[in-house]
Structures are given as C-alpha cells and as structure tokens.
Amino acid sequence: MTTLPRADEPTTAPPTWQPPAAIGVTLVLWASAFVAIRHLGHDVSPGALSLGRLLIAALALSVLLVRAPRHRFTRHELLLLLGCGIAWFGIYNLALNASEQRIDAATAAMVVQVGPILIAFLAALFLGERLTGWLLLGMAIAFGGVVIIGSAMRGDGGSDLDGVLLALLAAATYAIGVVCQKVLLRRLSGLEVTCYACWIGVVVCLPWTGDFIDVVRHGDAGTLLWIGYLGLFPTALAFSTWAFALRYTDAGKQALTTFLVPAIAAVMAWVLLDEVPPALAFVGGVVCVVGVLVTRRKPRPVQA
C-alpha cells in the first residue's frame, strides 16, 4: 500500500534565520492575545469573543486551504480532530476569556504554562512516551507554582481564585488538544488540522451567537478591530508560524520557548493596560517554569 505524503512536508530547508524568526513572531502574537483578551473582557462576553475570534480565523484559514492538498480523514482521525477542536479551540478559549475577566493577562499566561507538563503526562499515558521520576517531580513543582499564583491573586469572595482555576482549565484543555494534534500531524498537514479544529471550535461556541451579533451591531470600531486582530494574528497567523518552525526545530526545545510568553505578556500589559500582577504571582510563575525544566531532565542510562 502506498503511503500518502504529508501535505505540509517541506521540499527544501529554509535559511537558518527563518525558523527562529517564526518562533519569535509566534511568541509575540500569543503574548499579545492575553493582553487583547484582557482589554476586551470588560465589554465582550467570553462566548461572544471566542466565537468571533474563531470564526474569523476559520474563514481566513479556509481561504488558504482551498488551494492546498487535502486528505480524507479516517474514523480515528476524525475522533482526534473532534477532541482537538472541542478541547483546545472551544473550551480553551471560553475558559481563558472567562479567566481574564478575573485575573490579569500576565498571571493568566503564567498559569497556562502548566500545559506543557500536562502534555508530557498525557503523552506518557496515551502515546507510549516514557513517564520518568523527573516528570512526576516537575509536575508537583509546577502545580505548587499554580497554588502560589492562586494565593497571590485571591481576592474578596474568592473571585480571583476562580480566575486562576479557569486558567488552569484552559491549560488542561490545551494539553488535550496538543496530544490529539500530535497524532493527527503524522499524516495530515498543520493547515488542515488547524482549519478544521477552528470550525469545530466555532460550533462549540454557537450558543453565544446572540451575544456575538449584539457585539457586531452595537460594538464600537475599536472592539471589532481587536476581535479581528485576535482571529487573524494570534490564531490564524501565529499557529501557522509555529507549525512552520516546528518542521525544522526539535519539538522539546521549541516548547521551552513558550515560557517567554508570560514575560512578554507582562511587559505588554504594563505598557498598554498599566497592569502589573502581584510580586508573589511572578514567584509562582517562576516555580511553574522550574517545574517544567525539571521534567526535561533525562534519566541516567541503565547499564546492562
């Protein structure tokens, strides 16, 4: 049986500066998304914002997919695509948007960085990757960081703690989506997976169609432009540049670069929103990063 080639398989290697530049673009755009969501959270409901962002991204990616090679999904791939779209593009956006109505952009970005640890744990359970003692220790340290962040952000009535828990839910659904996507990308192109997952996310957010229509009808031009920005740049463009860089870069090393996102988001939030999280929240963020770095430790080889 002939094996189908991957539609996004590169034919020639790009100049050496292009993958790092693509990673840099991705990190800046993803960090800006946290700031934009925080800015819009006062005027746009989480469901309406999620629907608008995903709809714009899905339409933009569909235009690109028209001229790209496509594959027919197997039943197994369809189930994985549903898991990726519902978890990462649907629930993730709803939880993150609701979270940033309660906590600042930098803190939300810090909590979401627990995602890579959860990805490693799920990969060990479902993809047969090795579950090491370093991984378990790193997970414990990172969750300790989340507890510290939650303590720093806890306000009257526990509303800020609810925001941290919602960000943690976003991290969990992000991890589920990435594990599903990892299997899909063995045969399918990144453009296919991202585009169809966006449309699935749109379906998840359809119950908030009325809210989104109200935003379109009554929202000011600035609000609509920010929603358009979220759909075109942090979603459609950033996921594309990330996939491009991943073709030529070690996945583990590239994943570590995402820990720059909270720092970039904190600077952007300080400049654009005049918003700085408590010092203890930064301590928790550092603990989360340490936990992930611990998971990257390789166990000593076992001698025969």
Side-chain angles (χ1 to χ4, degrees), residues 32 56 176 276:
S32 72
I56 292 171
I176 294 171
V276 180

Side-chain angles (χ1 to χ4, degrees), residues 35-54:
V35 178
I37 291 169
R38 177 66 171 171
H39 172 69
L40 291 171
H42 302 291
D43 302 315
V44 185
S45 69
L49 180 55
S50 299
L51 179 58
R53 174 183 181 176
L54 291 171

Side-chain angles (χ1 to χ4, degrees), residues 22-294:
I23 294 174
V25 169
T26 302
L27 299 183
V28 171
L29 291 178
W30 281 354
S32 72
F34 286 95
V35 178
I37 291 169
R38 177 66 171 171
H39 172 69
L40 291 171
H42 302 291
D43 302 315
V44 185
S45 69
L49 180 55
S50 299
L51 179 58
R53 174 183 181 176
L54 291 171
L55 182 60
I56 292 171
L59 290 172
L61 291 170
S62 295
V63 172
L64 298 176
L65 190 61
V66 168
R67 300 180 63 86
R70 292 185 296 275
H71 298 92
R72 178 173 295 180
F73 297 141
T74 65
R75 180 178 299 179
H76 180 62
E77 288 170 340
L78 181 59
L79 292 175
L80 289 172
L81 187 61
L82 287 172
C84 179
I86 293 172
W88 193 4
F89 288 79
I91 299 175
Y92 170 86
N93 278 285
L94 293 168
L96 180 61
N97 295 345
S99 170
E100 291 202 52
Q101 289 186 333
R102 297 166 172 82
I103 59 176
D104 62 84
T107 302
M110 290 177 188
V111 177
V112 171
Q113 291 311 308
V114 176
I117 292 181
L118 299 178
I119 291 170
F121 182 70
L122 292 175
L125 288 178
F126 299 108
L127 301 181
E129 297 183 7
R130 187 176 179 185
L131 185 62
T132 66
W134 288 114
L135 178 59
L136 296 175
L137 177 60
M139 289 180 62
I141 293 173
F143 276 109
V146 174
V147 172
I148 294 174
I149 295 173
S151 300
M153 297 304 300
R154 188 168 188 174
D156 295 336
S159 59
D160 292 335
L161 181 58
D162 292 341
V164 173
L165 293 176
L166 284 167
L168 188 58
L169 173 61
T173 52
Y174 154 62
I176 294 171
V178 169
V179 171
C180 293
Q181 185 189 53
K182 182 176 182 179
V183 179
L184 290 167
L185 290 176
R186 293 172 180 172
R187 192 177 71 91
L188 307 174
S189 71
L191 178 60
E192 285 178 292
V193 175
T194 305
C195 181
Y196 293 130
C198 270
W199 281 114
I200 293 170
V202 168
V203 174
V204 172
C205 298
L206 283 180
W208 289 272
T209 301
D211 291 348
F212 177 63
I213 292 175
D214 288 340
V215 172
V216 174
R217 293 178 60 185
H218 304 295
D220 56 43
T223 297
L224 299 179
L225 286 174
W226 274 113
I227 295 175
Y229 170 82
L230 281 171
L232 292 175
F233 293 96
T235 307
L237 177 59
F239 276 96
S240 299
T241 52
W242 177 263
F244 167 78
L246 194 59
R247 298 175 188 173
Y248 310 102
T249 309
D250 179 76
K253 293 180 180 179
Q254 183 168 328
L256 289 177
T257 64
T258 62
F259 298 110
L260 294 174
V261 169
I264 300 171
V267 173
M268 288 184 173
W270 176 45
V271 173
L272 299 176
L273 304 179
D274 194 23
E275 184 178 80
V276 180
L280 188 58
F282 282 105
V283 174
V286 171
V287 173
C288 289
V289 173
V290 170
V292 175
L293 292 177
V294 168

